């Protein structure tokens, strides 16, 4: 019966790993992705001029990415005349490495005619499985927070609805943060996404989204709590943008819910004026 015991022990070890979030096996050796992305960014900065992207207020963060991926994404995004075409273009885009390990492309959810658009960081395991953003535990908290200010992603009334997406469309393996290169490769699609939806109010969820959208280097604690103009070449006028703590952060640090509530009230006041 020793074989059975070994199998049981292996099964238990595997279950323990899955519950701890270790559900991807993509390499033999550990990779320090922070060092890798910094080294790659340095090499690209030497080899190629900075990637052209929308200048944002306060000056853009220079994002380095393989130029080809950014060029392809820019061309595909610019050719998309509506959300269906944009979704198809993203689904056909093969130059973001995250796509290779993801199960689904996660485009958006909610009412695209809503006056308010939320932008999170990256799909997690539940989102990857279902192909929709913010459907896991942090999405459930976000839905509750937004219900408290009268918003529902499925509302037909555009003044009560919201629309939601992420800065990258594929789940990073093991839920790590997306690298600057991965974000840069997806950015032309995100910018076109915002141009096509043309919301009155844009909300960045968490630090990486806030830095990307606002083109700023500060962390979320500094960026939240104030309105920033979001500009893009094909937008007739800048959009009022604000950053909110990510719901996953609020789950880990509930003491910050007080500031998040203040930001939610500011958002409610702003959308009541639209
Ligand atoms: N966190 C995000 O930033 N996006 C999702 O879609 C889910 C969790």
């Amino acid at each position: 019966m020793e074989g059975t015991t070994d199998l049981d022990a292996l099964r238990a070890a595997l279950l323990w790993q899955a519950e701890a979030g270790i559900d991807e096996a993509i390499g033999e050796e550990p990779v320090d992705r922070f060092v890798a992305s910094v080294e790659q960014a340095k090499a690209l900065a030497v080899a190629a001029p900075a990637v052209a992207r929308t200048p944002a207020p306060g000056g853009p963060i220079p994002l380095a990415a393989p130029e080809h991926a950014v060029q392809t994404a820019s061309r595909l995004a610019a050719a998309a005349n509506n959300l269906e075409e944009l979704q198809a273009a993203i689904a056909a885009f093969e130059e973001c490495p995250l796509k290779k390990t993801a199960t689904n492309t996660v485009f958006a959810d909610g009412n695209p005619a809503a006056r308010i658009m939320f932008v999170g960081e990256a799909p997690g395991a539940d989102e990857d499985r279902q192909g929709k953003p913010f459907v896991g535990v942090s999405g459930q908290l976000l839905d509750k927070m937004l219900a408290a200010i009268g918003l529902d992603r499925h509302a037909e009334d555009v003044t009560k609805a919201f629309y939601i997406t992420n800065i990258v469309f594929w789940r990073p393996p093991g839920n790590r943060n997306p690298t600057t290169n991965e974000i840069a490769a997806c950015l032309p699609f995100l910018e076109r996404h915002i141009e096509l939806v043309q919301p009155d109010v844009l909300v960045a969820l968490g630090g990486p989204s806030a830095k990307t959208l606002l083109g700023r280097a500060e962390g979320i604690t500094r960026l939240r709590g104030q309105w920033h103009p979001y500009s893009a070449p094909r937008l007739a006028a800048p959009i009022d943008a604000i950053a909110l703590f990510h719901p996953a952060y609020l789950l880990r640090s509930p003491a910050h819910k007080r500031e998040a509530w203040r930001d939610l009230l500011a958002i409610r006041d702003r959308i009541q004026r639209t």
Side-chain angles (χ1 to χ4, degrees):
M1 291 290 110
E2 198 173 303
T4 314
T5 311
D6 284 353
L7 259 184
D8 288 347
L10 276 174
R11 196 174 289 121
L14 197 59
L15 263 178
W16 181 84
Q17 291 205 339
E19 277 165 16
I22 307 163
D23 57 358
E24 302 283 345
I26 56 169
E28 292 293 320
E29 297 294 329
V31 178
D32 184 337
R33 294 193 185 276
F34 181 73
V35 170
S37 88
V38 169
E39 289 308 317
Q40 202 176 355
K42 278 189 200 152
L44 279 159
V46 172
V51 172
R53 62 176 296 263
T54 307
I61 300 177
L63 293 174
E67 260 201 308
H68 194 267
V70 177
Q71 277 169 7
T72 308
S74 302
R75 182 172 39 77
L76 292 174
N81 294 310
N82 53 47
L83 292 176
E84 291 71 31
E85 288 180 12
L86 184 68
Q87 182 169 10
I90 294 168
F93 181 60
E94 300 294 341
E95 296 185 43
C96 178
L98 293 176
K99 191 175 186 190
K100 293 186 176 50
T101 48
T103 306
N104 276 304
T105 299
V106 178
F107 179 61
D109 197 22
N111 184 340
R115 304 320 310 141
I116 182 162
M117 177 170 181
F118 290 81
V119 181
E121 183 180 334
D126 293 310
E127 290 75 19
D128 184 45
R129 253 191 306 274
Q130 296 186 40
K132 284 190 179 168
F134 285 95
V135 291
V137 201
S138 62
Q140 285 156 24
L141 174 60
L142 182 68
D143 282 344
K144 279 193 203 145
M145 288 161 56
L146 297 182
I149 56 164
L151 293 175
D152 170 355
R153 67 171 89 182
H154 300 300
E156 282 182 16
D157 178 344
V158 298
T159 64
K160 295 192 165 63
F162 68 90
Y163 185 68
I164 190 158
T165 186
N166 283 303
I167 53 174
V168 299
F169 306 98
W170 298 277
R171 179 195 183 205
N175 291 348
R176 64 164 170 78
N177 291 337
T179 65
T180 50
N181 287 350
E182 290 156 356
I183 294 173
C186 293
L187 192 59
F189 293 118
L190 176 63
E191 290 178 339
R192 187 75 188 122
H193 206 165
I194 296 168
E195 284 168 2
L196 289 170
V197 174
Q198 293 215 25
D200 294 322
V201 178
L202 194 57
V203 183
L205 293 168
S209 170
K211 288 179 190 182
T212 304
L213 281 178
L214 305 175
R216 300 274 290 261
E218 300 101 302
I220 183 70
T221 313
R222 279 187 183 274
L223 291 175
R224 59 150 289 277
Q226 45 187 313
W227 291 96
H228 309 258
Y230 170 85
S231 307
R234 291 215 245 172
L235 278 178
I239 297 172
D240 284 350
I242 196 166
L244 197 62
F245 283 129
H246 195 287
Y249 175 69
L250 293 174
L251 284 169
R252 292 193 303 272
S253 313
H256 290 287
K257 283 187 180 171
R258 181 195 291 260
E259 289 135 293
W261 178 240
R262 241 183 276 140
D263 296 340
L264 284 171
L265 293 180
I267 292 169
R268 186 193 62 184
D269 291 350
R270 174 63 190 80
I271 48 182
Q272 279 173 355
R273 286 193 280 116
T274 60

